[in-house]
Amino acid sequence: MKLAFSTLGVPGLPVPDVLALASEHGYHGVELRAHPEEPVHPGLSPAERADVAALFRGSGIEPLCVAGYARVAAPGDDAAVLGELRGLLRLAHDLGAPFVRVFPGGEGPHEEADAIAARRLGTAAEDASALGVRILLETHDSHRTGADAIRVLGPVGHRQVGALWDVMHTWLGGEQPAQTYAALAPQLGYVQVKDIASAEDTTPLPLGAGVLPLTECVEVLSRGGWDGWLCWEYEKRWYEQAAPLPGLLTAGRDHLVRLLGEAA
């Protein structure tokens, strides 16, 4: 498996500095938080996109994902959501990133939210296919578990639409790692790892210092023969009191490598 970290852990850090951290600490890729307050977002000009893509190529670090904030199950008109999603797909294509992350964001009865999300993702799948990018629905908010996500992904049934497994949200949803993997394996794009103190205190901690079942997750993935990406999503942007991520990156990589070795 390859290792990445999210720029959510280094808010506002310029791309060259992010790539330097990845190289220095032994990570293979970077998940790019795509928000206007970050250096990479859909408002970049063609020249700016080309510059970012060139920086990645020159560093040998891979742009894993454009992590957007489109909420595909949210109520309202489809056009605005699809427009946002298509902008993220174009950005990922221009940067050479294989994935775009979207949230569910559903409200009300889950049957209605499922249908809205499946309809929008099915429509956007054709754009994703044309651009060579895959849309990943994160286990998050209204669709926290693998069982929740598959209710949407099953009806979509398109190779360019898959799942992003956030291990915190499936754990908070009461789902065991083996259950999540069984639900998502055919559609799994990659896995976000992290650690927290408890369900009541989700302040990010160094990997291995909290309660999340990272050992079990890695074991399940290894037993299944899965060889994709593990991405450390350290939510520094939302928790200013959390320790700075750069000082934790080497130990985090070593922890993941150790878990992978033990599971092999």
Side-chain angles (χ1 to χ4, degrees), residues 35 68-78 80-82 84-85 88 101-107 113 116-117 120-121 137 140-142 238:
H35 189 280
Y69 289 88
R71 285 167 163 75
V72 295
D77 184 64
D78 286 0
V81 177
L82 289 171
E84 182 179 2
L85 184 45
L88 293 167
R101 186 278 306 279
V102 298
F103 284 147
E107 300 176 15
I116 291 171
R120 290 168 175 168
L121 289 170
L137 179 67
H140 196 272
D141 56 77
S142 62
W238 313 126

Side-chain angles (χ1 to χ4, degrees), residues 91-187:
L91 177 61
H93 170 268
D94 293 345
L95 300 183
F99 301 122
V100 158
R101 186 278 306 279
V102 298
F103 284 147
E107 300 176 15
H110 75 72
E111 295 87 355
E112 182 178 348
D114 294 348
I116 291 171
R119 181 179 70 242
R120 290 168 175 168
L121 289 170
T123 300
E126 298 308 314
D127 298 274
S129 184
L131 291 168
V133 178
R134 195 172 183 212
I135 305 166
L136 301 183
L137 179 67
E138 183 172 326
T139 55
H140 196 272
D141 56 77
S142 62
H143 292 65
R144 175 163 271 179
T145 66
D148 294 330
I150 203 63
R151 294 199 315 264
V152 172
L153 299 177
V156 174
H158 197 290
R159 66 183 182 278
Q160 292 306 117
V161 178
L164 171 50
W165 177 6
D166 181 320
V167 302
M168 181 183 75
H169 285 282
T170 54
W171 180 80
L172 290 171
E175 197 171 63
Q176 297 299 312
Q179 295 173 307
T180 306
Y181 183 71
L184 298 182
Q187 287 90 8

Side-chain angles (χ1 to χ4, degrees), residues 7 13 46 87 89 103 107 135 165 168 191 194 221 234 236:
T7 56
L13 193 67
L89 288 168
F103 284 147
E107 300 176 15
I135 305 166
W165 177 6
M168 181 183 75
V191 180
K194 58 187 72 173
L221 293 166
Y234 186 82
K236 174 67 172 176

